[in-house]
Amino acid sequence: MVENGTAVNNPTDAELLASSAEDTEAFRAFFERHYRAVWSFLAWRFGDSEADDACAETFATAFKDRERYDDGIADARPWLLGIAVNHARHHARRERKRLGRLACTLSSAPAGPSVDLDPRGRLAAGLLALDKRDREPLLLLALADLSYTQIGEALGIPEGTVRSRINRARRQLKEAIQE
């Protein structure tokens, strides 16, 4: 971005969002900065085909709500991923079907002690069994690489609640995978 003939190096997300009302390139830069992280998180949740739509919905919401963004927070990734989680909640049925298909590898495997069950199937079944309140913080940690504080910002919950939900989810997943 160029301002008064001088290059502005690495504006913060807050600065990009604030200037995007007058400068269309500012939101484009914001989008390009965060697209891959948001798309990757949503692709894992929905699969590639639905991630495009969910990502577009996420950025459309971010564009519409950009004036409400707290300009005191330089990094908007937690805010964006919070929007993505809200869109994911609307698509929860599809996510449950996808995890269910992955978990089917468990039920289609023949019974017996010598059978080595598909680890992805065990993971999918374990994720499917988690309460969504525990699954969302765990996925934001594992897939979006957010800190506990950022996850709390994204979900609108205290950091201590994030820690306890992730701890509970990890315990439950560990049990599911080891079965």
Side-chain angles (χ1 to χ4, degrees), residues 65-76:
D65 294 346
R66 70 190 186 279
E67 292 174 2
R68 296 188 343 204
Y69 183 74
D70 181 352
D71 61 359
I73 301 172
D75 181 9

Side-chain angles (χ1 to χ4, degrees), residues 96 126-137 165 168-169 172:
R96 291 188 67 76
L127 286 169
L128 191 58
L130 291 176
D131 182 281
K132 73 174 183 174
R133 293 177 347 147
D134 295 338
R135 184 173 49 242
E136 289 170 349
R165 287 181 183 178
R168 182 173 40 249
Q172 290 172 352

Side-chain angles (χ1 to χ4, degrees), residues 63-121:
F63 183 78
K64 181 179 63 101
D65 294 346
R66 70 190 186 279
E67 292 174 2
R68 296 188 343 204
Y69 183 74
D70 181 352
D71 61 359
I73 301 172
D75 181 9
R77 197 166 52 116
W79 176 70
L80 268 175
L81 288 164
I83 293 170
V85 166
N86 286 333
H87 285 292
R89 287 177 181 150
H90 294 291
H91 296 279
R93 250 184 265 152
R94 290 184 196 141
E95 179 185 34
R96 291 188 67 76
K97 284 181 183 178
R98 181 172 178 268
L99 288 173
R101 284 192 302 272
L102 284 171
C104 279
T105 59
L106 288 173
S107 61
S108 64
S114 63
V115 174
D116 193 16
L117 296 176
D118 180 2
R120 284 181 27 164

Side-chain angles (χ1 to χ4, degrees), residues 15-35:
E15 291 167 340
L16 288 173
L17 288 170
S19 64
S20 68
E22 295 85 31
D23 179 8
T24 57
E25 290 301 310
F27 196 82
R28 179 191 305 262
F30 176 79
F31 172 84
E32 290 173 355
R33 181 180 289 175
H34 294 291
Y35 172 79

